[in-house]
Amino acid sequence: MQSGAKSVLFVGDLSYADRYEYNDVGVRWDTWGRFVEQSAAYQPWIWSAGNHEIEYFPNMGEVVPFKSFLYRYPTPYQVSRSSNPLWYAIRRASSHIIVLSSYSPFVKYTPQWHWLKQELKNVNREKTPWLIVLMHVPIYNSNEAHFMEGESMRSVFERWFIKHRVDVIFAGHVHAYERSYRISNIHYNVSGGDAYPVPDKTAPIYITVGDGGNQEGLASRFRDPQPDYSAFREASYGHSTLEIKNRTHAIYHWNRNDDGIKVTTDSFTLHNQYWGSARRRRKLNKNHLHSVISERPSTARF
């Protein structure tokens, strides 16, 4: 709330209630809800579901995945014509935000696959210049924790992310922080091509922010040496802010708060993938010069 953010993007693993049993599961969800209420009551929280929301407890007779999460945290999935509340899209300020479910079927011909294929076509970059994707399991991760777990989703969706000029993808799951360069691994197949990530100016930036706090501690074991695609990584508690300045530029900060003090540690200017091209910049200058001169650009913060 102190940051003045217009929205909170939460990439899964909410209450960790799955570490409890029987009645204590619900108690944990309720106490966590009261804890975040001071923010969630005033700032829109956009949720994605993590593995700790699955809560598959056959020993307790609970075999419906995500039951507690779905009853407590409804999502506006029907507005974006999704068939399931675990994946949906929402327009917030100048951003089109797509939320994916890492723990629901997503391979070819599944409901989530069909929905994302159409939703990416529905994005209007004139109205929402920024395209942001949320998921729980990171696609690119150089930490020993959960290494390569996102590979299956990468192989299915990465080409679409590049084709539709996704700007940034946020993930959690790994209890550390990491930011990638713009890279892709779309040229490999079983008969040839590069079998490793390569620089790609058309690709999104991948950011893992699983460092907001948890019951399991930090994931401090990164793979050595640091891969070429990894721009910055650190096992510290923290949070990120994304301040959208206009349709071409946004300012990103990762803030370490190990000691309860906000320390800006990783920062960069994010260039919009759609409006950043020379052709579209010329179009922007031609069509919006009068508004640039006469109006102060609005700012959205996440």
Side-chain angles (χ1 to χ4, degrees):
M1 293 179 67
Q2 294 175 353
S3 71
K6 304 301 182 183
S7 300
V8 176
L9 310 183
F10 201 104
V11 288
D13 288 352
L14 281 68
S15 69
Y16 284 83
D18 64 339
R19 297 170 65 88
Y20 297 80
E21 292 187 337
Y22 297 101
N23 185 61
D24 289 337
V25 175
V27 171
R28 177 68 179 185
W29 273 108
D30 293 342
T31 55
W32 191 86
R34 288 192 289 270
F35 172 70
V36 301
E37 186 178 17
Q38 58 184 322
S39 169
Y42 301 99
Q43 296 166 296
W45 282 49
I46 300 170
W47 318 92
S48 67
N51 55 297
H52 287 283
E53 278 73 72
I54 298 174
E55 293 187 345
Y56 179 69
F57 301 134
N59 61 308
M60 296 189 293
E62 292 290 351
V63 294
V64 179
F66 302 105
K67 184 176 179 180
S68 298
F69 171 75
L70 292 175
Y71 271 101
R72 287 171 168 81
Y73 296 97
T75 64
Y77 71 101
Q78 293 173 317
V79 177
S80 58
R81 299 185 181 277
S82 168
S83 60
N84 192 298
L86 294 174
W87 59 84
Y88 61 97
I90 186 170
R91 291 188 293 274
R92 183 68 180 154
S94 59
S95 298
H96 192 115
I97 302 169
I98 292 176
V99 180
L100 298 178
S101 176
S102 297
Y103 299 103
S104 301
F106 53 77
V107 296
K108 195 171 185 178
Y109 306 128
T110 59
Q112 187 170 197
W113 182 91
H114 276 294
W115 174 82
L116 179 60
K117 183 179 181 180
Q118 183 59 48
E119 185 61 28
L120 288 169
K121 295 177 182 178
N122 293 341
V123 178
N124 185 338
R125 302 298 280 266
E126 295 280 350
K127 294 181 178 179
T128 50
W130 294 90
L131 182 52
I132 299 169
V133 174
L134 309 184
M135 60 182 62
H136 186 64
V137 179
I139 285 179
Y140 287 100
N141 163 41
S142 68
N143 199 296
E144 293 288 357
H146 308 300
F147 182 65
M148 293 287 288
E149 282 188 23
E151 181 64 11
S152 54
M153 181 172 277
R154 183 204 63 76
S155 66
V156 176
F157 291 148
E158 186 177 22
R159 289 182 183 274
W160 290 359
F161 296 152
I162 293 170
K163 176 183 178 181
H164 293 277
R165 298 293 192 268
V166 173
D167 293 298
V168 61
I169 297 178
F170 290 105
H173 200 36
V174 179
H175 298 162
Y177 171 75
E178 186 167 15
R179 170 174 61 88
S180 78
Y181 293 109
R182 294 195 184 277
I183 44 91
S184 69
N185 189 11
I186 60 174
H187 304 293
Y188 175 74
N189 56 51
V190 294
S191 60
D194 294 327
Y196 46 83
V198 296
D200 188 340
K201 292 181 179 180
T202 65
I205 289 177
Y206 298 88
I207 298 178
T208 300
V209 282
D211 57 332
N214 59 84
Q215 291 187 341
E216 299 168 341
L218 291 167
S220 58
R221 294 179 57 215
F222 284 101
R223 295 175 66 84
D224 188 38
Q226 184 171 355
D228 291 340
Y229 65 77
S230 177
F232 187 97
R233 57 185 190 174
E234 182 176 314
S236 298
Y237 292 113
H239 70 281
S240 295
T241 58
L242 179 65
E243 186 173 357
I244 295 176
K245 295 296 187 180
N246 49 46
R247 68 174 58 203
T248 60
H249 294 79
I251 306 299
Y252 172 86
H253 298 291
W254 176 66
N255 308 282
R256 183 196 303 124
N257 20 1
D258 267 347
D259 302 316
I261 300 173
K262 174 183 172 182
V263 179
T264 300
T265 309
D266 181 35
S267 302
F268 68 95
T269 299
L270 180 64
H271 298 270
N272 187 282
Q273 286 291 73
Y274 181 86
W275 288 102
S277 70
R279 178 175 61 83
R280 292 195 176 96
R281 282 200 302 269
R282 288 195 296 270
K283 178 182 177 182
L284 174 64
N285 291 337
K286 179 180 179 181
N287 294 342
H288 299 275
L289 181 59
H290 67 282
S291 63
V292 173
I293 293 175
S294 61
E295 299 179 10
R296 181 179 179 181
S298 61
T299 296
R301 301 186 70 183
F302 298 95

